[in-house]
Amino acid sequence: MALRVWASKSASYLKISTFNRPFATVVKYLRYADSHEWVKVEGSSATVGITDHAQDHLGDVVYVELPEIGTAVTQGDSFGAVESVKATSDINSPVSGKVVEVNEELNDSPALVNSSPYEKGWIIKVELSKNDELKSLMDSDSYSKFCDEEDAKH
Amino acid sequence: MRGAGFWQLGQSITRRLAQADKKSVARRCYATEADLKKTALFDFHVAHGGKMVPFAGWSMPIQYKDSIMDSTLNCRENGSLFDVAHMCGLSLKGKDSISFLEKLVIADVAGLAPGTGTLTVFTNEKGGAIDDSVITKVTDDHIYLVVNAGCRDKDLAHIGEHMEAFKSKGGDVSWHIHDERSLLALQGPLAAPVLQHLTKEDLSKLYFGEFQILDINGARCFLTRTGYTGEDGFEISVPSENAVDLAKAILEKSEGKVRLTGLGARDSLRLEAGLCLYGNDMEQHITPVEAGLTWAIGKRRRAEGGFLGAEVILKQIADGPTIRRVGLFSPGPPARGHSEIQNEKGENIGEVTSGGFSPCLKKNIAMGYVKSGNHKAGTKVKIVVRGKAYEGAVTKMPFVATKYYKPS
């Protein structure tokens, strides 16, 4: 299970940010959507961001469009956007619920999404309304595999 | 991914793929991947970490290991080497080359001194732009020009058709398409000092827009002091078998300061320089006058006409065009192509044609077309991004001062 070993080590590599790595990092205890967002669930609260793989493909993030606090989000639907020098991309919510907090720091420092996608670059916090939705998301192993397959296609 | 711009064709579309019908999207975008043309530098790009993407039928590097931000900044600080061999170099030869070309473009070709060139536009019967092109009068019976990769087939068909008609009336002109050559662009403050190491000719005597055939790194090259970044620099047409050696020599002589640079940074650079990207900022229905290229219509041409669509264009010069290309600043999210432009009352006055975040200015820049009357620098506008209107203002271009090498 080489992948599993690699994934469990990956958390310690999070601070390393180099371009064109053979593999983007994933974090073991997060869940992942196939549109490249991650979610960290603590009780009924979920923190959402975009993955290392996503930020790597986007390049330098220059703007993050955040939703208003109180906005309802639905699994699979767009709640905001992230803009890099080269592209615009919707951010889809991996979970349904209500936005209770947004990362205001991204207004001044959108590049946190690149430098710290799983920590300082988080985007919103959601109060979960449908806990069972988490089952449809990938774990870190499946997501790593999913990314490798996508990259291989291109 | 939403938004427009040429690289949407090529960039990773993982996010969109994830949401749509994967197979059909994949097929649509990548069906031709195997058929993509490769430049002489393809393996060199891959070896240097180039992220290859489909562009106008070619597999081209959108970026290398450096981010687009860093690449853009490095071009202005040191220098960039671009592979632009996907563009189509063409020579017109024969004693009537000039009078032939003048039927198709707005430039005063006859008035160019031998060894000099200019940006010009191929027009259609309605005065719209078929393509933009840098043309050089090598001699009175030899014109060298470079047209856009994406317009190659269309341009060659257009030129070819008119050439047949011209020749049938006894005109002396023929063409040679330089598929045996590759085109490299060397741009930035180190362009001249680095290239000077590789040739015996004195480059300090070759000014912006000038052309010379000379030996560079041991190969016979066509050298034009021009580019698409706003910086001083050159476009070098080199025999394809010598292209890799030349690229290596340029990078070595710069001691690593000149970096391989992809289409991504090239687009940021040209946008900062206020230069049009054909297909975005200029199209079949846009005239050179609307595009702000009236300066490229020679004085004699304004008096005499004689090019396709001249009636429309000369009338626009006299009366003023109804729409005009302008530069825009806006805070908030970067405005991309097709963003609506409104006046302060919220009425539609036009559309953004390209835009993004300027790595050098660290703010959003864009260009687009607005109705005349709204085109003056300082005019306040609104730009609609994802349904929200953001404050913006019309501004002069270039956004970043150009540094062309001109006689002082």
Side-chain angles (χ1 to χ4, degrees):
Chain A
M1 295 292 283
L3 252 180
R4 186 180 295 273
V5 173
W6 171 75
S8 64
K9 279 184 182 169
S10 63
S12 60
Y13 296 142
L14 278 180
K15 296 290 188 300
I16 303 169
S17 181
T18 54
F19 188 71
N20 262 3
R21 292 159 293 201
F23 300 100
T25 53
V26 295
V27 178
K28 185 83 181 151
Y29 53 87
L30 304 181
R31 309 286 291 182
Y32 299 87
D34 59 5
S35 49
H36 302 283
E37 293 85 9
W38 56 264
V39 57
K40 181 169 82 177
V41 178
E42 290 160 303
S44 65
S45 164
T47 307
V48 173
I50 68 166
T51 67
D52 192 30
H53 177 91
Q55 71 78 21
D56 192 35
H57 276 69
L58 276 167
D60 309 291
V61 172
V62 297
Y63 186 83
V64 182
E65 190 162 286
L66 299 166
E68 305 271 328
I69 289 170
T71 307
V73 293
T74 308
Q75 188 178 49
D77 285 358
S78 159
F79 67 79
V82 56
E83 304 244 14
S84 70
V85 175
K86 71 171 170 177
T88 303
S89 178
D90 291 337
I91 319 169
N92 293 348
S93 186
V95 291
S96 302
K98 195 175 75 178
V99 177
V100 291
E101 202 179 334
V102 300
N103 187 356
E104 306 267 1
E105 266 195 73
L106 298 179
N107 288 329
D108 293 327
S109 309
L112 287 173
V113 171
N114 296 118
S115 60
S116 179
Y118 297 114
E119 292 180 17
K120 290 181 185 164
W122 65 275
I123 296 171
I124 57 169
K125 289 186 182 168
V126 176
E127 194 180 281
L128 291 174
S129 61
K130 295 181 187 168
N131 268 327
D132 58 339
E133 278 177 348
L134 296 168
K135 287 180 204 148
S136 65
L137 300 173
M138 287 178 268
D139 63 12
S140 55
D141 288 357
S142 313
Y143 179 66
S144 289
K145 212 174 145 200
F146 175 75
C147 290
D148 292 347
E149 285 168 3
E150 272 205 341
D151 282 348
K153 271 189 253 165
H154 296 175
Chain B
M1 294 199 188
R2 244 185 329 216
F6 72 95
W7 32 32
Q8 299 288 344
L9 293 170
Q11 72 190 4
S12 156
I13 54 165
T14 40
R15 313 203 82 216
R16 190 199 283 157
L17 278 180
Q19 292 152 30
D21 172 358
K22 290 176 192 177
K23 277 183 184 161
S24 74
V25 174
R27 201 175 300 129
R28 205 179 315 137
C29 295
Y30 294 103
T32 57
E33 193 146 26
D35 311 325
L36 291 175
K37 288 177 271 185
K38 292 174 181 174
T39 71
L41 293 179
F42 178 85
D43 293 338
F44 186 73
H45 297 313
V46 172
H48 284 79
K51 246 191 203 180
M52 308 306 289
V53 300
F55 179 74
W58 294 79
S59 180
M60 299 300 292
I62 191 155
Q63 68 181 109
Y64 299 82
K65 289 176 184 167
D66 303 341
S67 72
I68 291 176
M69 193 92 85
D70 291 344
S71 280
T72 306
L73 295 171
N74 186 65
C75 179
R76 303 221 186 277
E77 203 172 307
N78 294 301
S80 283
L81 180 64
F82 304 89
D83 177 10
V84 287
H86 58 309
M87 293 173 70
C88 175
L90 185 71
S91 281
L92 296 178
K93 290 194 176 169
K95 68 175 173 50
D96 300 322
S97 298
I98 294 169
S99 55
F100 168 68
L101 186 60
E102 283 203 344
K103 291 182 184 304
L104 305 182
V105 303
I106 59 177
D108 179 1
V109 189
L112 290 171
T116 66
T118 182
L119 174 71
T120 195
V121 177
F122 282 87
T123 47
N124 58 33
E125 283 80 359
K126 292 179 179 166
I130 292 174
D131 196 4
D132 57 354
S133 171
V134 172
I135 58 165
T136 300
K137 184 201 266 185
V138 181
T139 59
D140 284 330
D141 56 6
H142 180 192
I143 308 285
Y144 170 68
L145 58 149
V146 177
V147 302
N148 279 302
C151 297
R152 175 184 171 127
D153 294 347
K154 175 180 78 170
D155 290 356
L156 294 183
H158 175 71
I159 296 168
E161 187 189 321
H162 284 272
M163 190 180 288
E164 284 315 305
F166 187 82
K167 282 161 83 169
S168 72
K169 289 178 195 156
D172 175 24
V173 60
S174 62
W175 70 11
H176 175 77
I177 299 160
H178 290 290
D179 284 340
E180 77 288 2
R181 289 182 165 266
S182 295
L183 194 64
L184 300 181
L186 175 61
Q187 301 279 295
L190 295 183
V194 166
L195 197 62
Q196 190 63 77
H197 284 294
L198 300 172
T199 182
K200 285 178 188 152
E201 303 294 328
D202 181 2
L203 298 177
S204 71
K205 298 204 170 76
L206 189 76
Y207 294 103
F208 180 68
E210 292 183 347
F211 173 94
Q212 200 177 344
I213 297 177
L214 74 179
D215 285 345
I216 299 175
N217 200 40
R220 202 74 180 146
C221 293
F222 301 168
L223 184 67
T224 315
R225 197 145 194 167
T226 186
Y228 195 43
T229 62
E231 296 296 313
D232 177 28
F234 306 88
E235 287 185 1
I236 312 162
S237 170
V238 56
S240 289
E241 65 267 28
N242 305 111
V244 172
D245 283 346
L246 177 57
K248 281 182 186 163
I250 288 170
L251 297 179
E252 272 167 30
K253 290 291 176 195
S254 82
E255 296 170 346
K257 287 182 180 160
V258 170
R259 308 277 296 168
L260 282 167
T261 306
L263 295 176
R266 188 168 161 84
D267 192 57
S268 295
L269 289 157
R270 71 91 195 166
L271 183 61
E272 289 181 340
L275 300 169
C276 289
L277 172 63
Y278 189 85
N280 281 34
D281 310 304
M282 219 194 293
E283 290 189 75
Q284 302 274 4
H285 61 277
I286 298 285
T287 72
V289 182
E290 293 163 344
L293 300 177
T294 306
W295 63 266
I297 308 171
K299 236 185 207 172
R300 182 176 59 80
R301 309 306 311 272
R302 289 184 210 191
E304 295 174 4
F307 49 92
L308 292 175
E311 309 70 36
V312 178
I313 288 171
L314 299 183
K315 189 169 186 309
Q316 278 190 352
I317 294 176
D319 302 348
T322 55
I323 57 167
R324 292 171 195 254
R325 185 169 66 95
V326 295
L328 299 158
F329 281 133
S330 66
R336 313 275 181 183
H338 306 298
S339 295
E340 184 187 353
I341 309 172
Q342 301 176 338
N343 62 16
E344 283 194 290
K345 293 180 205 152
E347 296 158 343
N348 178 300
I349 53 166
E351 194 178 82
V352 171
T353 49
S354 52
F357 184 81
S358 160
C360 295
L361 301 178
K362 304 280 182 246
K363 60 179 175 178
N364 302 326
I365 57 174
M367 60 174 86
Y369 285 82
V370 296
K371 289 180 187 160
S372 292
N374 301 284
H375 63 280
K376 297 230 162 63
T379 305
K380 287 186 179 159
V381 297
K382 289 177 179 173
I383 302 175
V384 182
V385 180
R386 288 182 290 275
K388 259 191 242 172
Y390 295 86
E391 305 291 322
V394 173
T395 182
K396 285 199 171 131
M397 291 188 284
F399 299 100
V400 172
T402 53
K403 294 179 190 158
Y404 302 129
Y405 181 69
K406 294 181 174 175
S408 47

